[in-house]
Amino acid sequence: MTQHVRGATRLAGLVALLAAGAGSASAHVKYVTPGSDPVEVAAFLSAALIDPFNLAVLGAGGVGVAVAGAAYLRFRPLPNDVRAFRRTMASYESLLPWLLRLAVGLPLVGAGFSGYFFSPAVQSSSPVFVRLFGITVGFLLLFGFGTRLVAAVGLGTYLVGLAVEPALVLAFEYVPGFLAIALVGGGRPSADHVVASMAADDRTFYSRIDPFYRRVALPFVERTRHLEAYVPAVLRVGLGLTFVYLGVAQKLMEPGDALAVVAKYDLTAVVPVAPELWVVGAGLTEALVGVLLVAGAFTRAASAVAFLLFTTTLFGLPDDPVLAHISLFGLVSALLVTGGGPLSVDRALSDRGAGDAESDGDASGRSAGA
């Protein structure tokens, strides 16, 4: 119980950090639009929501989502398919460290070669440092060498940079990414796994000269092993608040930039609705996905929707920097593997369902015994 309390405290601290960071910059709309005339938020929302057609579409969408969720919880359709899917996803958990390393390492290498610091919106005045940092940290994560230490260095560097350059909030997904990697380590395949295997074998020459494995690595892993269970929660909160920020701060609170995107790519020709409905609908959808992720409700379904939103954005906005979003794709994919994890609505519903099943079984047993 004490471990769970400590975990909840750490998670609360992370939530506070994420919430503080999520209020100080614009999101990736700035990658594809140089700027637009400001639009007064209250007037925009009033004009968008006074239209009966817009209200009907938004209302139907909200009711549809609520009904679909309630119907799933009530009837639990296709139970065998759901169990098979969850079982398959769970079988990939041994590859989770590799997936996380790829999700963070690849875009860092790309950032290093491209000369930007975490986000394309941040071009550093020290290009040599930026290139060396991105390439070095990225490749070390890809190789899985010194993984936990490298992730900690990456996280610290990002947070220092964020304090100096608020625009780095555009790449805030690196925070849950680095934290998750620091918790799970390199996994396998990784250079760390190879080195640890040699150091653990008393018959090898390397085991006699390694100064690190038994004195530092093993004790650290043993002390922090219980925190690995909170990796899904770290990822959920980080990505969820990012989505809430994208939906609320970027679209609903900055409608001028969002309308500029709709006009630039002629999105009303794709779905023939008013630009205001495009912006409000996209903002509410992203905010809803974010809330579901933070709460850990229908986590895998929300992650699948998030993956679809990313994919649609990349195909719909051809000059959007794909490389900078690999981290988002990878972290959402990790949530498809892990599900909601602890401190989530999904876990609470699962535990309650298991308790109901046990109660039914006990009642049946007592009835049979009688």
Side-chain angles (χ1 to χ4, degrees):
M1 178 64 71
T2 302
Q3 291 180 351
H4 288 294
V5 172
R6 290 175 181 170
T9 302
R10 291 184 178 93
L11 183 60
L14 175 62
V15 170
L17 177 62
L18 289 168
S24 59
S26 61
H28 73 274
V29 159
K30 294 298 184 184
Y31 298 162
V32 295
T33 55
S36 62
D37 295 331
V39 175
E40 206 277 318
V41 176
F44 166 78
L45 292 177
S46 175
L49 298 178
I50 202 173
D51 187 305
F53 177 77
N54 291 351
L55 283 177
V57 171
L58 295 173
V63 171
V65 170
V67 169
Y72 175 80
L73 293 175
R74 174 66 179 85
F75 299 107
R76 303 284 182 167
L78 305 174
N80 293 327
D81 300 78
V82 172
R83 278 193 292 268
F85 175 77
R86 290 175 177 171
R87 184 169 58 249
T88 302
M89 290 294 103
S91 70
Y92 299 148
E93 286 190 0
S94 62
L95 300 176
L96 181 63
W98 190 23
L99 175 58
L100 292 171
R101 285 167 31 223
L102 291 174
V104 176
L106 284 173
L108 277 179
V109 171
F113 278 110
S114 299
Y116 59 81
F117 192 55
F118 287 106
S119 167
V122 180
Q123 301 290 332
S124 174
S125 59
S126 304
V128 175
F129 166 77
V130 168
R131 290 179 183 275
L132 288 176
F133 170 81
I135 294 170
T136 302
V137 172
F139 271 120
L140 286 175
L141 289 178
L142 291 178
F143 292 142
F145 185 74
T147 307
R148 286 186 169 92
L149 177 60
V150 171
V153 170
L155 177 61
T157 304
Y158 173 85
L159 292 177
V160 170
L162 180 62
V164 176
E165 176 52 77
L168 277 178
V169 76
L170 298 173
F172 203 77
E173 69 273 8
Y174 280 101
V175 172
F178 280 133
L179 282 174
I181 292 172
L183 290 176
V184 301
R188 52 188 299 270
S190 69
D192 286 344
H193 182 255
V194 174
V195 172
S197 298
M198 295 176 63
D201 189 342
D202 293 331
R203 298 169 297 179
T204 64
F205 173 75
Y206 180 77
S207 67
R208 301 175 210 158
I209 63 173
D210 180 89
F212 180 77
Y213 178 71
R214 287 185 173 88
R215 295 180 181 178
V216 180
L218 277 181
F220 177 82
V221 171
E222 290 301 321
R223 285 196 301 268
T224 60
R225 190 181 302 278
H226 64 283
L227 296 176
E228 292 183 20
Y230 294 99
V231 166
V234 169
L235 295 175
R236 285 193 294 100
V237 172
L239 288 174
L241 286 178
T242 297
F243 262 95
V244 171
Y245 170 71
L246 291 176
V248 176
Q250 175 192 350
K251 293 180 174 64
L252 299 183
M253 295 294 102
E254 300 239 358
D257 288 341
L259 289 170
V261 172
V262 174
K264 178 179 179 179
Y265 298 103
D266 195 19
L267 297 181
T268 55
V270 180
V271 178
V273 297
E276 294 79 10
L277 182 56
W278 255 102
V279 173
V280 174
L284 292 178
T285 300
E286 291 179 345
L288 176 60
V289 169
V291 170
L292 291 176
L293 289 177
V294 170
F298 302 102
T299 303
R300 286 191 171 100
S303 299
V305 173
F307 196 96
L308 178 63
L309 289 174
F310 292 145
T311 304
T312 303
T313 298
L314 295 180
F315 280 104
L317 309 181
D319 53 352
D320 201 52
V322 177
L323 184 62
H325 296 151
I326 289 178
S327 53
L328 293 171
F329 278 101
L331 298 182
V332 166
S333 299
L335 281 178
L336 286 172
V337 173
T338 66
L343 308 177
S344 69
V345 172
D346 289 340
R347 176 62 60 84
L349 292 175
S350 176
D351 291 343
R352 189 180 71 177
D356 291 343
E358 290 175 4
S359 299
D360 292 342
D362 292 342
S364 299
R366 287 194 298 270
S367 191

